[in-house]
Amino acid sequence: MGGQDGFGPVPVGDDGAPFQADWEAKVFALSRALRRNGAFNLDEMRDAIERIPPEDYLAASYYERWLIAMEMILAEKGLA
Amino acid sequence: MSHDESHEDLHVAARVRALEERVVAAGLTTDDELDALLDGLLAGASPVNGARMVARAWADPAYREALLADGNAAAGALGFSTSGYRLRVVENTPETHNVVVCTLCSCYPITLLGPSPGWYRSFAYRSRVVREPRAVLAEFGLTLPDGVEIAVWDSSAETRYLVVPLRPEGDLSEEEMAARVSRRGLIGTAAV
Amino acid sequence: MTYGPGTRVRALAGDPDHHTRVPRYVRGHVGEIVEQEGEWPLPDDRARGITPPRVEAVYAVRFPARDLWGTGSHTVTVDLWESYLEEVAPRES
């Protein structure tokens, strides 16, 4: 991501409520709880986010990528 | 929340609910735990905390020294928990302006800054600030004099960064100074 | 082989087929050690479920923007694990 071209101006106005929808807050809480309880670690989570196919990655919102990553890891590990 | 929920949003929300049901059924967490985590986050994590540390550093030279030497200990001295990472505090001077990014994801000290703003997580900020910080800061309305050097810090490991802005002019109390400090100032995209 | 402040180091140029924390834009570039940041588990191992993960020194490494992008007067400091780095001779540029 660092140094890549073509993303245009920074959305400086996007500075308000931490979560734009209740589901975003839930995704945040799920990632924290599942890490705390040992379902996966932060590096597995980052790895999964990076393994999202590029077209899905770019189409997804920030917390949607977290959701996709958690779905991937839990399926891969057969946990849920 | 008050935003219009699009069709897309409803679809994603349904997937989140399904995931939540599966992990709770699998015994990986509980609804109570999820609620408590979120309540704790919203109650305990705020840029007011980072601002208090900065204002204390401006008011108390000994605290400033401690803050620059060991950010975690200095945060702890004011009652803020920063476990799991190293807190590195970088101080702006008339010669150098510091600005923080996490190009690989969006790491940052959430206890001291609150949940990250959308712009910090955006592709545009993460891709561009390492390459053209002056142009990016200008988009935030921050124009630095030509002679000021910019130091960009990319949080790629277990270190999280906090910027101490330049102290505002005037005879201000510690509380008044803390009130001047914004989250942007603590990340380096505003002067204070 | 701990690197002291001022040591010139090159970030790994390769593109591993697993998760790593070397940002693409510093790969193959030479920077200077600012300081050691303690020791931390290697994300490359943690991401692959390798237990226990290697634990290594992590360094803040400063790169001049001009070297990274061919332009710019700023610096970019990146946190890098020891095995991401190789020392380069002081005179090499």
PDB file of all heavy atoms in Angstrom, chain A residues 1 3 8 10-12 14-15 19-20 22-23 26 36-37 46 62 71, chain B residues 3 9 15 20 28 33 106-107 118 121 123 127-128 131 139 183-184:
ATOM      1  N   MET A   1       0.843  -1.212   0.000  1.00  0.00           N
ATOM      2  CA  MET A   1       0.000   0.000   0.000  1.00  0.00           C
ATOM      3  C   MET A   1       0.872   1.253   0.000  1.00  0.00           C
ATOM      4  O   MET A   1       0.628   2.184  -0.735  1.00  0.00           O
ATOM      5  CB  MET A   1      -0.871  -0.050   1.260  1.00  0.00           C
ATOM      6  CG  MET A   1      -1.748   1.131   1.467  1.00  0.00           C
ATOM      7  SD  MET A   1      -3.354   1.098   0.656  1.00  0.00           S
ATOM      8  CE  MET A   1      -3.422  -0.429  -0.225  1.00  0.00           C
ATOM      9  N   GLY A   3       3.180   4.093  -0.765  1.00  0.00           N
ATOM     10  CA  GLY A   3       3.800   4.602  -1.971  1.00  0.00           C
ATOM     11  C   GLY A   3       3.046   4.304  -3.248  1.00  0.00           C
ATOM     12  O   GLY A   3       3.397   4.819  -4.313  1.00  0.00           O
ATOM     13  N   GLY A   8      -5.979   9.053  -4.933  1.00  0.00           N
ATOM     14  CA  GLY A   8      -6.642  10.352  -4.858  1.00  0.00           C
ATOM     15  C   GLY A   8      -6.500  11.020  -3.513  1.00  0.00           C
ATOM     16  O   GLY A   8      -5.668  10.638  -2.699  1.00  0.00           O
ATOM     17  N   VAL A  10      -6.989  12.381   0.339  1.00  0.00           N
ATOM     18  CA  VAL A  10      -7.311  11.727   1.603  1.00  0.00           C
ATOM     19  C   VAL A  10      -8.705  12.191   2.047  1.00  0.00           C
ATOM     20  O   VAL A  10      -8.990  13.392   1.990  1.00  0.00           O
ATOM     21  CB  VAL A  10      -6.266  12.093   2.676  1.00  0.00           C
ATOM     22  CG1 VAL A  10      -6.642  11.508   4.026  1.00  0.00           C
ATOM     23  CG2 VAL A  10      -4.875  11.617   2.246  1.00  0.00           C
ATOM     24  N   PRO A  11      -9.567  11.268   2.457  1.00  0.00           N
ATOM     25  CA  PRO A  11     -10.910  11.668   2.920  1.00  0.00           C
ATOM     26  C   PRO A  11     -10.848  12.311   4.300  1.00  0.00           C
ATOM     27  O   PRO A  11     -11.248  11.711   5.293  1.00  0.00           O
ATOM     28  CB  PRO A  11     -11.681  10.343   2.925  1.00  0.00           C
ATOM     29  CG  PRO A  11     -10.630   9.307   3.191  1.00  0.00           C
ATOM     30  CD  PRO A  11      -9.381   9.804   2.517  1.00  0.00           C
ATOM     31  N   VAL A  12     -10.319  13.540   4.338  1.00  0.00           N
ATOM     32  CA  VAL A  12     -10.041  14.181   5.630  1.00  0.00           C
ATOM     33  C   VAL A  12     -11.305  14.440   6.447  1.00  0.00           C
ATOM     34  O   VAL A  12     -11.246  14.598   7.662  1.00  0.00           O
ATOM     35  CB  VAL A  12      -9.256  15.505   5.460  1.00  0.00           C
ATOM     36  CG1 VAL A  12      -7.884  15.240   4.847  1.00  0.00           C
ATOM     37  CG2 VAL A  12     -10.029  16.501   4.618  1.00  0.00           C
ATOM     38  N   ASP A  14     -13.611  12.291   6.922  1.00  0.00           N
ATOM     39  CA  ASP A  14     -14.061  11.034   7.526  1.00  0.00           C
ATOM     40  C   ASP A  14     -13.405  10.903   8.897  1.00  0.00           C
ATOM     41  O   ASP A  14     -12.428  10.202   9.089  1.00  0.00           O
ATOM     42  CB  ASP A  14     -13.675   9.871   6.602  1.00  0.00           C
ATOM     43  CG  ASP A  14     -14.256   8.546   7.077  1.00  0.00           C
ATOM     44  OD1 ASP A  14     -14.941   8.541   8.125  1.00  0.00           O
ATOM     45  OD2 ASP A  14     -14.017   7.527   6.411  1.00  0.00           O
ATOM     46  N   ASP A  15     -13.942  11.615   9.866  1.00  0.00           N
ATOM     47  CA  ASP A  15     -13.250  11.829  11.125  1.00  0.00           C
ATOM     48  C   ASP A  15     -14.216  11.767  12.309  1.00  0.00           C
ATOM     49  O   ASP A  15     -13.907  12.221  13.389  1.00  0.00           O
ATOM     50  CB  ASP A  15     -12.595  13.224  11.079  1.00  0.00           C
ATOM     51  CG  ASP A  15     -11.377  13.300  11.984  1.00  0.00           C
ATOM     52  OD1 ASP A  15     -10.997  12.277  12.555  1.00  0.00           O
ATOM     53  OD2 ASP A  15     -10.821  14.402  12.108  1.00  0.00           O
ATOM     54  N   PHE A  19     -17.481   4.066  14.321  1.00  0.00           N
ATOM     55  CA  PHE A  19     -18.105   3.044  13.503  1.00  0.00           C
ATOM     56  C   PHE A  19     -19.279   3.637  12.747  1.00  0.00           C
ATOM     57  O   PHE A  19     -20.081   4.384  13.301  1.00  0.00           O
ATOM     58  CB  PHE A  19     -18.574   1.873  14.376  1.00  0.00           C
ATOM     59  CG  PHE A  19     -17.458   1.281  15.198  1.00  0.00           C
ATOM     60  CD1 PHE A  19     -17.441   1.421  16.579  1.00  0.00           C
ATOM     61  CD2 PHE A  19     -16.419   0.598  14.586  1.00  0.00           C
ATOM     62  CE1 PHE A  19     -16.404   0.886  17.337  1.00  0.00           C
ATOM     63  CE2 PHE A  19     -15.377   0.055  15.332  1.00  0.00           C
ATOM     64  CZ  PHE A  19     -15.370   0.212  16.703  1.00  0.00           C
ATOM     65  N   GLN A  20     -19.358   3.307  11.454  1.00  0.00           N
ATOM     66  CA  GLN A  20     -20.417   3.859  10.610  1.00  0.00           C
ATOM     67  C   GLN A  20     -21.701   3.051  10.713  1.00  0.00           C
ATOM     68  O   GLN A  20     -22.742   3.470  10.225  1.00  0.00           O
ATOM     69  CB  GLN A  20     -19.955   3.898   9.151  1.00  0.00           C
ATOM     70  CG  GLN A  20     -18.730   4.779   8.924  1.00  0.00           C
ATOM     71  CD  GLN A  20     -19.016   6.245   9.232  1.00  0.00           C
ATOM     72  OE1 GLN A  20     -19.977   6.811   8.740  1.00  0.00           O
ATOM     73  NE2 GLN A  20     -18.192   6.839  10.078  1.00  0.00           N
ATOM     74  N   ASP A  22     -23.664  -0.426  13.160  1.00  0.00           N
ATOM     75  CA  ASP A  22     -23.530  -1.344  14.298  1.00  0.00           C
ATOM     76  C   ASP A  22     -22.716  -2.581  13.936  1.00  0.00           C
ATOM     77  O   ASP A  22     -21.965  -3.098  14.758  1.00  0.00           O
ATOM     78  CB  ASP A  22     -24.923  -1.767  14.783  1.00  0.00           C
ATOM     79  CG  ASP A  22     -25.651  -0.605  15.462  1.00  0.00           C
ATOM     80  OD1 ASP A  22     -24.967   0.320  15.931  1.00  0.00           O
ATOM     81  OD2 ASP A  22     -26.895  -0.625  15.500  1.00  0.00           O
ATOM     82  N   TRP A  23     -22.873  -3.043  12.691  1.00  0.00           N
ATOM     83  CA  TRP A  23     -22.135  -4.266  12.324  1.00  0.00           C
ATOM     84  C   TRP A  23     -20.621  -4.024  12.337  1.00  0.00           C
ATOM     85  O   TRP A  23     -19.863  -4.938  12.629  1.00  0.00           O
ATOM     86  CB  TRP A  23     -22.610  -4.835  10.990  1.00  0.00           C
ATOM     87  CG  TRP A  23     -22.279  -4.026   9.747  1.00  0.00           C
ATOM     88  CD1 TRP A  23     -23.102  -3.169   9.081  1.00  0.00           C
ATOM     89  CD2 TRP A  23     -21.039  -4.025   9.024  1.00  0.00           C
ATOM     90  NE1 TRP A  23     -22.439  -2.626   8.007  1.00  0.00           N
ATOM     91  CE2 TRP A  23     -21.192  -3.135   7.943  1.00  0.00           C
ATOM     92  CE3 TRP A  23     -19.814  -4.680   9.191  1.00  0.00           C
ATOM     93  CZ2 TRP A  23     -20.153  -2.878   7.031  1.00  0.00           C
ATOM     94  CZ3 TRP A  23     -18.789  -4.421   8.274  1.00  0.00           C
ATOM     95  CH2 TRP A  23     -18.962  -3.534   7.212  1.00  0.00           C
ATOM     96  N   LYS A  26     -19.535  -4.512  15.797  1.00  0.00           N
ATOM     97  CA  LYS A  26     -19.583  -5.946  16.125  1.00  0.00           C
ATOM     98  C   LYS A  26     -18.372  -6.680  15.558  1.00  0.00           C
ATOM     99  O   LYS A  26     -17.777  -7.543  16.218  1.00  0.00           O
ATOM    100  CB  LYS A  26     -20.894  -6.547  15.583  1.00  0.00           C
ATOM    101  CG  LYS A  26     -21.133  -7.965  16.006  1.00  0.00           C
ATOM    102  CD  LYS A  26     -21.426  -8.073  17.491  1.00  0.00           C
ATOM    103  CE  LYS A  26     -22.891  -7.752  17.798  1.00  0.00           C
ATOM    104  NZ  LYS A  26     -23.220  -7.977  19.204  1.00  0.00           N
ATOM    105  N   ARG A  36      -8.321 -12.668  21.736  1.00  0.00           N
ATOM    106  CA  ARG A  36      -8.092 -12.837  23.159  1.00  0.00           C
ATOM    107  C   ARG A  36      -8.262 -14.298  23.567  1.00  0.00           C
ATOM    108  O   ARG A  36      -7.541 -14.808  24.409  1.00  0.00           O
ATOM    109  CB  ARG A  36      -9.065 -11.951  23.938  1.00  0.00           C
ATOM    110  CG  ARG A  36      -8.798 -11.921  25.415  1.00  0.00           C
ATOM    111  CD  ARG A  36      -9.418 -10.720  26.063  1.00  0.00           C
ATOM    112  NE  ARG A  36     -10.814 -10.973  26.423  1.00  0.00           N
ATOM    113  CZ  ARG A  36     -11.551 -10.108  27.126  1.00  0.00           C
ATOM    114  NH1 ARG A  36     -11.046  -8.938  27.456  1.00  0.00           N
ATOM    115  NH2 ARG A  36     -12.785 -10.403  27.437  1.00  0.00           N
ATOM    116  N   ASN A  37      -9.216 -14.964  22.933  1.00  0.00           N
ATOM    117  CA  ASN A  37      -9.506 -16.334  23.320  1.00  0.00           C
ATOM    118  C   ASN A  37      -8.710 -17.354  22.513  1.00  0.00           C
ATOM    119  O   ASN A  37      -8.955 -18.561  22.602  1.00  0.00           O
ATOM    120  CB  ASN A  37     -11.016 -16.598  23.188  1.00  0.00           C
ATOM    121  CG  ASN A  37     -11.814 -15.675  24.111  1.00  0.00           C
ATOM    122  OD1 ASN A  37     -11.273 -15.163  25.091  1.00  0.00           O
ATOM    123  ND2 ASN A  37     -13.080 -15.468  23.798  1.00  0.00           N
ATOM    124  N   ARG A  46      -3.847 -10.429   9.918  1.00  0.00           N
ATOM    125  CA  ARG A  46      -3.280  -9.572   8.871  1.00  0.00           C
ATOM    126  C   ARG A  46      -2.994 -10.386   7.614  1.00  0.00           C
ATOM    127  O   ARG A  46      -3.212  -9.936   6.497  1.00  0.00           O
ATOM    128  CB  ARG A  46      -1.979  -8.947   9.365  1.00  0.00           C
ATOM    129  CG  ARG A  46      -2.182  -7.887  10.422  1.00  0.00           C
ATOM    130  CD  ARG A  46      -0.832  -7.568  11.043  1.00  0.00           C
ATOM    131  NE  ARG A  46      -0.902  -6.444  11.956  1.00  0.00           N
ATOM    132  CZ  ARG A  46      -0.069  -6.287  12.973  1.00  0.00           C
ATOM    133  NH1 ARG A  46       0.872  -7.184  13.215  1.00  0.00           N
ATOM    134  NH2 ARG A  46      -0.169  -5.237  13.748  1.00  0.00           N
ATOM    135  N   TYR A  62     -13.274  -1.217   4.941  1.00  0.00           N
ATOM    136  CA  TYR A  62     -12.248  -1.602   5.904  1.00  0.00           C
ATOM    137  C   TYR A  62     -12.713  -2.744   6.814  1.00  0.00           C
ATOM    138  O   TYR A  62     -12.051  -3.780   6.920  1.00  0.00           O
ATOM    139  CB  TYR A  62     -11.880  -0.374   6.740  1.00  0.00           C
ATOM    140  CG  TYR A  62     -10.772  -0.622   7.729  1.00  0.00           C
ATOM    141  CD1 TYR A  62      -9.450  -0.643   7.324  1.00  0.00           C
ATOM    142  CD2 TYR A  62     -11.051  -0.837   9.082  1.00  0.00           C
ATOM    143  CE1 TYR A  62      -8.433  -0.868   8.228  1.00  0.00           C
ATOM    144  CE2 TYR A  62     -10.046  -1.054   9.988  1.00  0.00           C
ATOM    145  CZ  TYR A  62      -8.733  -1.070   9.561  1.00  0.00           C
ATOM    146  OH  TYR A  62      -7.733  -1.295  10.479  1.00  0.00           O
ATOM    147  N   GLU A  71     -13.885 -14.851   8.565  1.00  0.00           N
ATOM    148  CA  GLU A  71     -14.607 -15.988   7.966  1.00  0.00           C
ATOM    149  C   GLU A  71     -13.611 -16.987   7.371  1.00  0.00           C
ATOM    150  O   GLU A  71     -13.758 -18.207   7.529  1.00  0.00           O
ATOM    151  CB  GLU A  71     -15.563 -15.490   6.867  1.00  0.00           C
ATOM    152  CG  GLU A  71     -16.762 -14.719   7.401  1.00  0.00           C
ATOM    153  CD  GLU A  71     -17.596 -14.056   6.287  1.00  0.00           C
ATOM    154  OE1 GLU A  71     -17.059 -13.844   5.174  1.00  0.00           O
ATOM    155  OE2 GLU A  71     -18.764 -13.743   6.536  1.00  0.00           O
TER     156      GLU A  71
ATOM    157  N   HIS B   3     -26.734   6.479  10.278  1.00  0.00           N
ATOM    158  CA  HIS B   3     -26.507   6.491   8.830  1.00  0.00           C
ATOM    159  C   HIS B   3     -27.525   5.629   8.108  1.00  0.00           C
ATOM    160  O   HIS B   3     -28.013   4.646   8.627  1.00  0.00           O
ATOM    161  CB  HIS B   3     -25.107   5.982   8.526  1.00  0.00           C
ATOM    162  CG  HIS B   3     -24.062   6.870   9.074  1.00  0.00           C
ATOM    163  ND1 HIS B   3     -23.482   7.873   8.347  1.00  0.00           N
ATOM    164  CD2 HIS B   3     -23.521   6.934  10.300  1.00  0.00           C
ATOM    165  CE1 HIS B   3     -22.610   8.508   9.111  1.00  0.00           C
ATOM    166  NE2 HIS B   3     -22.618   7.957  10.295  1.00  0.00           N
ATOM    167  N   ASP B   9     -25.093  -2.801   2.969  1.00  0.00           N
ATOM    168  CA  ASP B   9     -24.865  -2.816   4.396  1.00  0.00           C
ATOM    169  C   ASP B   9     -25.697  -3.885   5.095  1.00  0.00           C
ATOM    170  O   ASP B   9     -25.221  -4.579   5.980  1.00  0.00           O
ATOM    171  CB  ASP B   9     -25.224  -1.443   4.975  1.00  0.00           C
ATOM    172  CG  ASP B   9     -24.007  -0.768   5.603  1.00  0.00           C
ATOM    173  OD1 ASP B   9     -22.883  -1.226   5.337  1.00  0.00           O
ATOM    174  OD2 ASP B   9     -24.206   0.195   6.347  1.00  0.00           O
ATOM    175  N   ARG B  15     -24.348 -11.105   7.429  1.00  0.00           N
ATOM    176  CA  ARG B  15     -23.190 -12.006   7.505  1.00  0.00           C
ATOM    177  C   ARG B  15     -22.508 -11.907   8.857  1.00  0.00           C
ATOM    178  O   ARG B  15     -22.057 -12.916   9.415  1.00  0.00           O
ATOM    179  CB  ARG B  15     -22.180 -11.662   6.406  1.00  0.00           C
ATOM    180  CG  ARG B  15     -22.411 -12.446   5.143  1.00  0.00           C
ATOM    181  CD  ARG B  15     -21.559 -11.941   4.009  1.00  0.00           C
ATOM    182  NE  ARG B  15     -20.126 -12.029   4.262  1.00  0.00           N
ATOM    183  CZ  ARG B  15     -19.222 -11.314   3.569  1.00  0.00           C
ATOM    184  NH1 ARG B  15     -19.626 -10.479   2.627  1.00  0.00           N
ATOM    185  NH2 ARG B  15     -17.954 -11.451   3.835  1.00  0.00           N
ATOM    186  N   GLU B  20     -21.340 -14.198  14.143  1.00  0.00           N
ATOM    187  CA  GLU B  20     -21.447 -14.098  15.596  1.00  0.00           C
ATOM    188  C   GLU B  20     -22.149 -15.336  16.173  1.00  0.00           C
ATOM    189  O   GLU B  20     -21.686 -15.927  17.154  1.00  0.00           O
ATOM    190  CB  GLU B  20     -22.227 -12.831  15.968  1.00  0.00           C
ATOM    191  CG  GLU B  20     -22.349 -12.594  17.458  1.00  0.00           C
ATOM    192  CD  GLU B  20     -23.177 -11.367  17.804  1.00  0.00           C
ATOM    193  OE1 GLU B  20     -23.670 -10.700  16.867  1.00  0.00           O
ATOM    194  OE2 GLU B  20     -23.345 -11.090  19.000  1.00  0.00           O
ATOM    195  N   LEU B  28     -16.465 -19.965  21.236  1.00  0.00           N
ATOM    196  CA  LEU B  28     -15.265 -19.134  21.088  1.00  0.00           C
ATOM    197  C   LEU B  28     -15.408 -17.777  21.766  1.00  0.00           C
ATOM    198  O   LEU B  28     -14.416 -17.098  22.033  1.00  0.00           O
ATOM    199  CB  LEU B  28     -14.937 -18.940  19.604  1.00  0.00           C
ATOM    200  CG  LEU B  28     -14.614 -20.220  18.826  1.00  0.00           C
ATOM    201  CD1 LEU B  28     -14.485 -19.936  17.336  1.00  0.00           C
ATOM    202  CD2 LEU B  28     -13.330 -20.860  19.364  1.00  0.00           C
ATOM    203  N   GLU B  33     -19.410 -11.127  26.435  1.00  0.00           N
ATOM    204  CA  GLU B  33     -18.017 -10.726  26.258  1.00  0.00           C
ATOM    205  C   GLU B  33     -17.913  -9.671  25.150  1.00  0.00           C
ATOM    206  O   GLU B  33     -17.195  -8.679  25.276  1.00  0.00           O
ATOM    207  CB  GLU B  33     -17.141 -11.936  25.909  1.00  0.00           C
ATOM    208  CG  GLU B  33     -15.670 -11.553  25.769  1.00  0.00           C
ATOM    209  CD  GLU B  33     -14.764 -12.707  25.363  1.00  0.00           C
ATOM    210  OE1 GLU B  33     -15.234 -13.616  24.655  1.00  0.00           O
ATOM    211  OE2 GLU B  33     -13.581 -12.669  25.733  1.00  0.00           O
ATOM    212  N   SER B 106      -3.456  -0.545   9.946  1.00  0.00           N
ATOM    213  CA  SER B 106      -3.864   0.751  10.501  1.00  0.00           C
ATOM    214  C   SER B 106      -3.572   0.783  11.993  1.00  0.00           C
ATOM    215  O   SER B 106      -4.352   1.313  12.771  1.00  0.00           O
ATOM    216  CB  SER B 106      -5.343   1.008  10.247  1.00  0.00           C
ATOM    217  OG  SER B 106      -6.086  -0.049  10.819  1.00  0.00           O
ATOM    218  N   CYS B 107      -2.425   0.221  12.372  1.00  0.00           N
ATOM    219  CA  CYS B 107      -2.048   0.155  13.785  1.00  0.00           C
ATOM    220  C   CYS B 107      -1.911   1.556  14.362  1.00  0.00           C
ATOM    221  O   CYS B 107      -1.410   2.458  13.702  1.00  0.00           O
ATOM    222  CB  CYS B 107      -0.706  -0.553  13.918  1.00  0.00           C
ATOM    223  SG  CYS B 107      -0.750  -2.227  13.285  1.00  0.00           S
ATOM    224  N   GLY B 118     -11.679   7.254   9.941  1.00  0.00           N
ATOM    225  CA  GLY B 118     -11.702   6.662   8.603  1.00  0.00           C
ATOM    226  C   GLY B 118     -10.521   7.086   7.750  1.00  0.00           C
ATOM    227  O   GLY B 118      -9.965   6.271   7.012  1.00  0.00           O
ATOM    228  N   ARG B 121      -7.413   5.039   8.168  1.00  0.00           N
ATOM    229  CA  ARG B 121      -7.490   3.695   7.602  1.00  0.00           C
ATOM    230  C   ARG B 121      -7.570   3.714   6.077  1.00  0.00           C
ATOM    231  O   ARG B 121      -7.534   2.668   5.452  1.00  0.00           O
ATOM    232  CB  ARG B 121      -8.740   2.984   8.146  1.00  0.00           C
ATOM    233  CG  ARG B 121      -8.817   2.903   9.658  1.00  0.00           C
ATOM    234  CD  ARG B 121      -9.952   1.990  10.091  1.00  0.00           C
ATOM    235  NE  ARG B 121     -11.247   2.442   9.628  1.00  0.00           N
ATOM    236  CZ  ARG B 121     -12.141   3.086  10.375  1.00  0.00           C
ATOM    237  NH1 ARG B 121     -11.856   3.353  11.629  1.00  0.00           N
ATOM    238  NH2 ARG B 121     -13.286   3.462   9.871  1.00  0.00           N
ATOM    239  N   PHE B 123      -7.036   4.002   2.045  1.00  0.00           N
ATOM    240  CA  PHE B 123      -5.949   3.684   1.110  1.00  0.00           C
ATOM    241  C   PHE B 123      -5.173   4.952   0.771  1.00  0.00           C
ATOM    242  O   PHE B 123      -3.951   4.928   0.624  1.00  0.00           O
ATOM    243  CB  PHE B 123      -6.508   3.087  -0.180  1.00  0.00           C
ATOM    244  CG  PHE B 123      -7.058   1.697  -0.038  1.00  0.00           C
ATOM    245  CD1 PHE B 123      -8.184   1.307  -0.737  1.00  0.00           C
ATOM    246  CD2 PHE B 123      -6.423   0.763   0.770  1.00  0.00           C
ATOM    247  CE1 PHE B 123      -8.686   0.015  -0.633  1.00  0.00           C
ATOM    248  CE2 PHE B 123      -6.915  -0.538   0.887  1.00  0.00           C
ATOM    249  CZ  PHE B 123      -8.057  -0.898   0.175  1.00  0.00           C
ATOM    250  N   SER B 127      -1.250   5.090   1.457  1.00  0.00           N
ATOM    251  CA  SER B 127      -0.351   4.990   0.299  1.00  0.00           C
ATOM    252  C   SER B 127       0.453   6.268   0.097  1.00  0.00           C
ATOM    253  O   SER B 127       1.611   6.227  -0.290  1.00  0.00           O
ATOM    254  CB  SER B 127      -1.156   4.675  -0.970  1.00  0.00           C
ATOM    255  OG  SER B 127      -2.022   5.742  -1.294  1.00  0.00           O
ATOM    256  N   ARG B 128      -0.144   7.418   0.399  1.00  0.00           N
ATOM    257  CA  ARG B 128       0.484   8.664  -0.037  1.00  0.00           C
ATOM    258  C   ARG B 128       1.364   9.346   1.004  1.00  0.00           C
ATOM    259  O   ARG B 128       2.294  10.072   0.638  1.00  0.00           O
ATOM    260  CB  ARG B 128      -0.607   9.628  -0.522  1.00  0.00           C
ATOM    261  CG  ARG B 128      -1.268   9.166  -1.836  1.00  0.00           C
ATOM    262  CD  ARG B 128      -2.343  10.133  -2.286  1.00  0.00           C
ATOM    263  NE  ARG B 128      -1.838  11.497  -2.314  1.00  0.00           N
ATOM    264  CZ  ARG B 128      -2.531  12.555  -1.924  1.00  0.00           C
ATOM    265  NH1 ARG B 128      -3.768  12.432  -1.510  1.00  0.00           N
ATOM    266  NH2 ARG B 128      -1.988  13.750  -1.962  1.00  0.00           N
ATOM    267  N   ARG B 131       5.039   8.979   0.778  1.00  0.00           N
ATOM    268  CA  ARG B 131       5.655   9.430  -0.468  1.00  0.00           C
ATOM    269  C   ARG B 131       5.613  10.940  -0.623  1.00  0.00           C
ATOM    270  O   ARG B 131       6.570  11.560  -1.070  1.00  0.00           O
ATOM    271  CB  ARG B 131       4.916   8.752  -1.628  1.00  0.00           C
ATOM    272  CG  ARG B 131       5.536   9.043  -2.959  1.00  0.00           C
ATOM    273  CD  ARG B 131       4.950   8.134  -4.016  1.00  0.00           C
ATOM    274  NE  ARG B 131       5.626   8.321  -5.275  1.00  0.00           N
ATOM    275  CZ  ARG B 131       5.773   7.378  -6.184  1.00  0.00           C
ATOM    276  NH1 ARG B 131       5.276   6.179  -5.973  1.00  0.00           N
ATOM    277  NH2 ARG B 131       6.394   7.625  -7.305  1.00  0.00           N
ATOM    278  N   GLU B 139      -3.608  18.808   2.470  1.00  0.00           N
ATOM    279  CA  GLU B 139      -5.031  18.442   2.354  1.00  0.00           C
ATOM    280  C   GLU B 139      -5.730  18.512   3.707  1.00  0.00           C
ATOM    281  O   GLU B 139      -6.937  18.708   3.792  1.00  0.00           O
ATOM    282  CB  GLU B 139      -5.168  17.040   1.741  1.00  0.00           C
ATOM    283  CG  GLU B 139      -4.845  17.045   0.250  1.00  0.00           C
ATOM    284  CD  GLU B 139      -4.702  15.663  -0.362  1.00  0.00           C
ATOM    285  OE1 GLU B 139      -5.263  14.692   0.184  1.00  0.00           O
ATOM    286  OE2 GLU B 139      -4.015  15.560  -1.399  1.00  0.00           O
ATOM    287  N   ARG B 183      -6.891  14.870  18.093  1.00  0.00           N
ATOM    288  CA  ARG B 183      -6.392  13.571  17.643  1.00  0.00           C
ATOM    289  C   ARG B 183      -5.453  13.746  16.454  1.00  0.00           C
ATOM    290  O   ARG B 183      -4.426  13.086  16.347  1.00  0.00           O
ATOM    291  CB  ARG B 183      -7.560  12.661  17.274  1.00  0.00           C
ATOM    292  CG  ARG B 183      -7.097  11.292  16.744  1.00  0.00           C
ATOM    293  CD  ARG B 183      -8.207  10.291  16.705  1.00  0.00           C
ATOM    294  NE  ARG B 183      -9.306  10.753  15.871  1.00  0.00           N
ATOM    295  CZ  ARG B 183     -10.498  10.200  15.854  1.00  0.00           C
ATOM    296  NH1 ARG B 183     -10.757   9.176  16.633  1.00  0.00           N
ATOM    297  NH2 ARG B 183     -11.441  10.668  15.075  1.00  0.00           N
ATOM    298  N   ARG B 184      -5.818  14.658  15.548  1.00  0.00           N
ATOM    299  CA  ARG B 184      -4.935  14.889  14.397  1.00  0.00           C
ATOM    300  C   ARG B 184      -3.567  15.369  14.842  1.00  0.00           C
ATOM    301  O   ARG B 184      -2.548  14.982  14.272  1.00  0.00           O
ATOM    302  CB  ARG B 184      -5.562  15.917  13.459  1.00  0.00           C
ATOM    303  CG  ARG B 184      -6.766  15.372  12.727  1.00  0.00           C
ATOM    304  CD  ARG B 184      -7.330  16.379  11.743  1.00  0.00           C
ATOM    305  NE  ARG B 184      -8.476  15.825  11.050  1.00  0.00           N
ATOM    306  CZ  ARG B 184      -9.086  16.399  10.026  1.00  0.00           C
ATOM    307  NH1 ARG B 184      -8.661  17.582   9.590  1.00  0.00           N
ATOM    308  NH2 ARG B 184     -10.109  15.814   9.457  1.00  0.00           N
TER     309      ARG B 184
END
